[in-house]
């Protein structure tokens, strides 16, 4: 046997072409066997469930809009059907029936097929129809979110249900809206004709058309005030009937009842004044900027002895789950900008959050020096525009070279405590925009190498923008968090937009958005070594000196180590 192998080896050395020919034939034969086994394993039982890609095989066109770049792939359903959240009533365990091949004949038949399939799917949510929507006055006026890559019917329902809403609506194939009331007229089912971006077998509304579902909540308490945010104790404003226009006398007052009442009336603020519940918006008449001692509001509720319900003079205020839509409309600039304004920051300094605030405050999209598909999918529509397009109000950038800096006409320079910024950027690098790095990354070689490379950049980034930038407005991240209204006024002023105070007050209520990390995850140890702190402290002093030489306030006191 050994002699035979030696002879074969010598033969193929002399005639390598024969060897490669034999190898190609072997691979081809293996491929044919594999394909045959694959076809033989497919079920051809009539009426069997159609795969998500069936419509493509039948040659139907893709009806969605806003096609993303070729790098994105359509999401597929997990085996065994969708998962089901605990908030659905499950009353049927029968398998879901899918449409037959003949149902693909028209847009209307596909919409009806998707609707009937959704209605039958374990009664977790009831489809109530296609409705007209208006960008200036939404049909569903609760929270909203967008995902131009992975939106599905279930994802929208799940998000709305978790927040206690009664209705979930999908629009444009990728937009999800929640609400407690449907405030619009019906539209033809054929007008809800856009496939979901993450689930092409289902329909997600159309252009200014909502596919709306009523959520069958497992517990009635799920739609109570649950996640309402406590805003504090405030003195009753002058002209209270104008500042808080809706009121109701409640002899059996409780926080639940007042929040539920204002939620039902579609107001974002619920104010308890003894036995009177008042609802409204934050306005110049009632800014929520001057909080009082909570003891002034510490009058027990008539309907709940362990809660405080305020007094006739001092109001206890909660923010309901109703979204304040006065600052939610956004669009591209109507005419091309004559100047390019940079929103410059070191990575991890809160640039994405600042973009969110600027878009809400101005009503215009922000752009980017880069392209980040995950940000585009979350609603930052200016992300895909070229940074010189002139259609966006300002441009995100982390660049720090002289040539790049001098290409901008003015800049907002966002600076953050380097200890926090480095940790935030490390989390983003290893966990995504709103994720967190694993403990193995913090304790491994990645973290020391990261600090050694990025800490000097934190300093040189600021120094370069101060040296080469034209008309630079310095904003400290910590000041923006502490006094958002004033700092945002400064930023909007540099952008040349007249700041509407009511709109800025609306931004305060929506400040976190859907794309802000909820806070640095607490580590069990301090990741900074004494050597790291010594190095970073030197960079902080350098930046502090540079700021003061330009007659600017130095870095905040909390930049220095505790």
């Amino acid at each position: 046997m050994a002699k035979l192998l030696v002879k074969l080896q010598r033969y193929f050395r002399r005639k390598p072409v024969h060897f490669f020919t034999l190898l190609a034939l072997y691979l081809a034969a293996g491929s044919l066997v594999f394909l045959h086994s694959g076809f033989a394993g497919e079920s051809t039982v009539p009426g069997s469930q159609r795969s998500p890609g069936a419509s493509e095989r039948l040659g139907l066109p893709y009806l969605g809009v806003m096609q993303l770049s070729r790098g994105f792939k359509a999401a597929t359903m997990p085996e065994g059907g969708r998962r089901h959240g605990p908030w659905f009533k499950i009353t049927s365990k029968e398998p879901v029936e899918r449409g037959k091949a003949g149902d693909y004949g028209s847009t209307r038949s596909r919409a009806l097929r998707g609707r009937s399939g959704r209605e039958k799917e374990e009664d977790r949510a009831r489809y109530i129809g296609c409705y007209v929507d208006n960008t200036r006055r939404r049909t569903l006026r609760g929270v909203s979110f967008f995902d131009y890559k992975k939106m599905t019917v279930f994802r929208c329902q799940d998000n709305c249900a978790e927040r206690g809403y009664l209705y979930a609506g999908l629009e444009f194939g990728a937009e999800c809206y929640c609400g407690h009331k449907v405030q619009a007229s019906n539209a033809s089912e054929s007008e809800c004709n856009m496939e979901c971006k993450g689930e092409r077998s289902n329909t997600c509304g159309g252009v200014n058309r909502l596919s709306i579902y009523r959520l069958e909540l497992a517990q009635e308490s799920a739609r109570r005030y649950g996640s309402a945010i406590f805003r504090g104790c405030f003195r009753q404003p002058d002209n209270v009937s104008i500042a808080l226009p809706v009121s109701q006398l409640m002899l059996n007052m409780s926080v639940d009842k007042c929040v539920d009442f204002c939620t039902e009336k579609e107001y974002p603020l619920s104010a308890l004044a003894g036995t009177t519940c008042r609802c409204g918006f934050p306005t110049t008449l009632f800014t929520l900027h001057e909080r009082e001692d909570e003891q002034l509001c510490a009058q027990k509720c008539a309907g709940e002895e362990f809660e405080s319900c305020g007094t006739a003079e001092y109001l206890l205020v909660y923010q309901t789950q109703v979204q304040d839509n006065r600052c939610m409309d956004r669009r591209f600039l109507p005419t091309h900008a004559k100047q390019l304004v940079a929103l410059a920051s070191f990575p991890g300094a809160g640039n994405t959050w600042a973009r969110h605030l600027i878009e809400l405050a101005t009503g215009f999209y922000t752009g980017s020096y880069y392209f980040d598909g995950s940000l585009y999918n979350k609603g930052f529509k200016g992300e895909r525009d070229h940074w010189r397009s002139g259609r966006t109000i300002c441009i995100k950038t982390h660049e720090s070279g002289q040539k790049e800096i001098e290409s901008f006409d003015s800049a907002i320079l966002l600076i953050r405590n380097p200890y926090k910024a480095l940790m935030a950027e490390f989390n983003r690098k290893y966990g995504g925009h709103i994720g967190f790095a694993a403990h193995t990354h913090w304790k491994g070689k990645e973290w020391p190498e990261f600090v050694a490379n990025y800490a000097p950049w934190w300093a040189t980034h600021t120094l370069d923008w101060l040296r080469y930038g034209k008309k630079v407005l310095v904003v400290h991240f910590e000041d923006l968090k502490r006094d958002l209204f004033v700092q945002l006024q400064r930023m909007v002023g540099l952008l040349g937009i007249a700041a509407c105070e009511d709109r800025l007050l609306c931004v305060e209520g929506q400040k976190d958005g859907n794309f802000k990390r909820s806070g640095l995850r607490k580590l069990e140890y301090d990741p900074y070594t004494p050597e790291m702190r010594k190095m970073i402290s030197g960079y902080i002093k350098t930046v502090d000196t540079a700021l003061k030489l330009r007659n600017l306030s130095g870095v905040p006191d909390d930049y220095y180590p505790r």
Side-chain angles (χ1 to χ4, degrees):
M1 185 66 181
K3 289 182 180 179
L4 178 61
L5 290 174
V6 171
K7 287 181 179 180
L8 285 172
Q9 186 179 14
R10 288 175 180 173
Y11 175 76
F12 285 126
R13 278 182 182 174
R14 290 195 301 270
K15 298 183 178 181
V17 174
H18 290 182
F19 171 74
F20 287 113
T21 302
L22 183 63
L23 180 63
L25 289 172
Y26 174 77
L27 293 174
S31 300
L32 289 172
V33 172
F34 175 77
L35 289 172
H36 176 73
S37 64
F39 283 117
E42 288 187 357
S43 172
T44 57
V45 178
S48 62
Q49 181 169 321
R50 188 177 300 279
S51 68
S55 59
E56 285 94 347
R57 290 200 300 271
L58 290 171
L60 282 177
Y62 170 51
L63 299 178
V65 297
M66 291 189 179
Q67 184 93 19
L68 299 182
S69 62
R70 282 170 283 184
F72 297 138
K73 297 179 182 178
T76 57
M77 294 280 291
E79 291 185 12
R82 304 174 188 164
R83 63 184 182 85
H84 299 283
W87 49 274
F88 290 123
K89 290 180 179 177
I90 299 177
T91 58
S92 170
K93 295 185 179 179
E94 295 179 3
V96 180
E97 295 182 9
R98 301 290 181 185
K100 297 180 181 179
D103 291 341
Y104 289 94
S106 67
T107 300
R108 174 174 172 78
S109 64
R110 189 187 65 203
L112 293 175
R113 183 197 76 249
R115 181 187 67 179
S116 61
R118 292 188 296 261
E119 283 176 337
K120 292 179 181 179
E121 192 161 3
E122 302 198 48
D123 292 333
R124 65 189 190 180
R126 182 166 59 86
Y127 180 76
I128 64 171
C130 182
Y131 285 79
V132 175
D133 195 23
N134 187 314
T135 56
R136 296 193 177 277
R137 190 166 179 81
R138 290 292 181 186
T139 300
L140 296 174
R141 298 174 191 171
V143 301
S144 60
F145 74 99
F146 315 102
D147 194 329
Y148 292 92
K149 181 183 177 184
K150 297 180 180 179
M151 181 61 74
T152 66
V153 172
F154 175 77
R155 187 178 177 202
C156 179
Q157 293 172 349
D158 198 28
N159 274 274
C160 293
E162 283 180 358
R163 290 164 174 79
Y165 289 101
L166 294 178
Y167 297 96
L170 295 107
E171 182 173 336
F172 218 59
E175 301 175 1
C176 176
Y177 297 89
C178 312
H180 292 286
K181 280 185 179 180
V182 178
Q183 304 183 69
S185 57
N186 281 94
S188 168
E189 286 296 328
S190 61
E191 295 177 32
C192 284
N193 55 14
M194 288 191 174
E195 296 170 333
C196 302
K197 292 294 183 182
E199 183 184 34
R200 293 187 178 180
S201 59
N202 267 336
T203 303
C204 286
V207 178
N208 291 330
R209 295 294 182 267
L210 279 168
S211 298
I212 297 183
Y213 297 80
R214 179 179 173 86
L215 306 176
E216 302 296 337
L217 301 177
Q219 297 179 355
E220 182 67 16
S221 61
R223 67 180 180 92
R224 298 177 73 83
Y225 88 96
S227 59
I229 301 169
F230 176 67
R231 296 298 298 270
C233 178
F234 300 88
R235 183 185 292 274
Q236 178 174 285
D238 297 330
N239 300 319
V240 66
S241 60
I242 299 175
L244 299 168
V246 174
S247 63
Q248 176 76 36
L249 181 66
M250 296 182 178
L251 298 178
N252 198 26
M253 172 70 84
S254 70
V255 176
D256 302 36
K257 289 176 182 176
C258 188
V259 171
D260 280 348
F261 172 73
C262 293
T263 299
E264 180 70 17
K265 296 295 182 181
E266 300 282 351
Y267 283 98
L269 292 184
S270 172
L272 291 82
T275 56
T276 302
C277 175
R278 298 186 180 278
C279 313
F281 295 93
T283 64
T284 52
L285 296 175
F286 193 46
T287 62
L288 302 184
H289 287 166
E290 298 178 5
R291 292 180 65 158
E292 303 286 351
D293 188 333
E294 289 179 26
Q295 290 300 315
L296 296 173
C297 291
Q299 177 175 298
K300 290 183 179 180
C301 295
E304 179 54 68
E305 62 175 326
F306 298 109
E307 293 179 347
S308 296
C309 278
T311 68
E313 188 177 356
Y314 293 94
L315 310 180
L316 207 58
V317 179
Y318 288 83
Q319 184 172 320
T320 73
Q321 297 177 30
V322 175
Q323 182 167 276
D324 188 344
N325 287 319
R326 295 175 300 166
C327 58
M328 297 307 293
D329 59 301
R330 288 169 291 171
R331 61 192 186 280
F332 289 103
L333 292 173
T335 58
H336 284 225
K338 295 180 181 179
Q339 292 192 328
L340 292 175
V341 184
L343 178 61
S345 73
F346 174 78
N351 200 303
T352 300
W353 181 51
R355 289 178 67 184
H356 165 74
L357 297 175
I358 290 171
E359 290 194 1
L360 295 189
T362 64
F364 296 113
Y365 290 119
T366 58
S368 177
Y369 196 82
Y370 322 98
F371 170 68
D372 188 327
S374 64
L375 290 180
Y376 178 82
N377 292 331
K378 297 296 181 182
F380 289 94
K381 293 185 180 179
E383 192 75 17
R384 291 191 70 183
D385 266 37
H386 188 274
W387 66 279
R388 286 186 178 273
S389 71
R391 298 205 307 158
T392 53
I393 194 68
C394 64
I395 312 298
K396 163 191 173 178
T397 180
H398 299 311
E399 300 301 308
S400 56
Q402 179 179 354
K403 181 180 177 182
E404 288 78 8
I405 292 172
E406 290 180 345
S407 63
F408 292 96
D409 300 294
S410 57
I412 298 169
L413 177 58
L414 191 63
I415 306 175
R416 187 181 186 184
N417 183 328
Y419 293 101
K420 299 290 182 65
L422 288 168
M423 292 177 71
E425 175 59 10
F426 190 73
N427 275 319
R428 186 206 63 79
K429 187 174 181 180
Y430 289 98
H433 277 282
I434 54 176
F436 296 89
H439 281 279
T440 53
H441 293 130
W442 292 102
K443 293 188 175 183
K445 65 178 183 179
E446 294 92 343
W447 172 242
E449 290 178 355
F450 178 85
V451 172
N453 291 326
Y454 276 67
W457 182 19
W458 175 85
T460 58
H461 182 277
T462 298
L463 297 175
D464 283 354
W465 277 95
L466 291 175
R467 181 179 180 183
Y468 302 117
K470 312 165 195 172
K471 196 178 177 182
V472 177
L473 173 68
V474 174
V475 176
H476 292 283
F477 176 87
E478 293 74 18
D479 292 339
L480 185 60
K481 284 186 67 177
R482 184 167 41 248
D483 195 357
L484 186 142
F485 188 88
V486 171
Q487 296 301 324
L488 199 51
Q489 270 187 321
R490 295 177 64 223
M491 295 162 72
V492 171
L494 180 77
L495 297 172
I497 301 293
C500 170
E501 287 194 33
D502 280 357
R503 189 171 183 113
L504 292 178
L505 290 168
C506 170
V507 177
E508 284 189 311
Q510 319 289 331
K511 62 182 179 181
D512 287 342
N514 296 319
F515 220 78
K516 179 177 177 291
R517 193 176 280 109
S518 59
L520 294 180
R521 181 181 292 172
K522 296 293 183 182
L523 294 175
E524 297 174 356
Y525 65 99
D526 183 353
Y528 292 101
T529 63
E531 293 77 15
M532 291 177 183
R533 288 190 174 279
K534 183 179 179 181
M535 173 181 65
I536 294 171
S537 291
Y539 294 135
I540 291 173
K541 290 175 183 176
T542 301
V543 169
D544 185 61
T545 301
L547 290 169
K548 289 177 179 177
L549 284 174
R550 287 161 178 79
N551 295 320
L552 301 170
S553 60
V555 299
D557 292 337
D558 60 3
Y559 278 30
Y560 293 97
R562 278 70 59 197

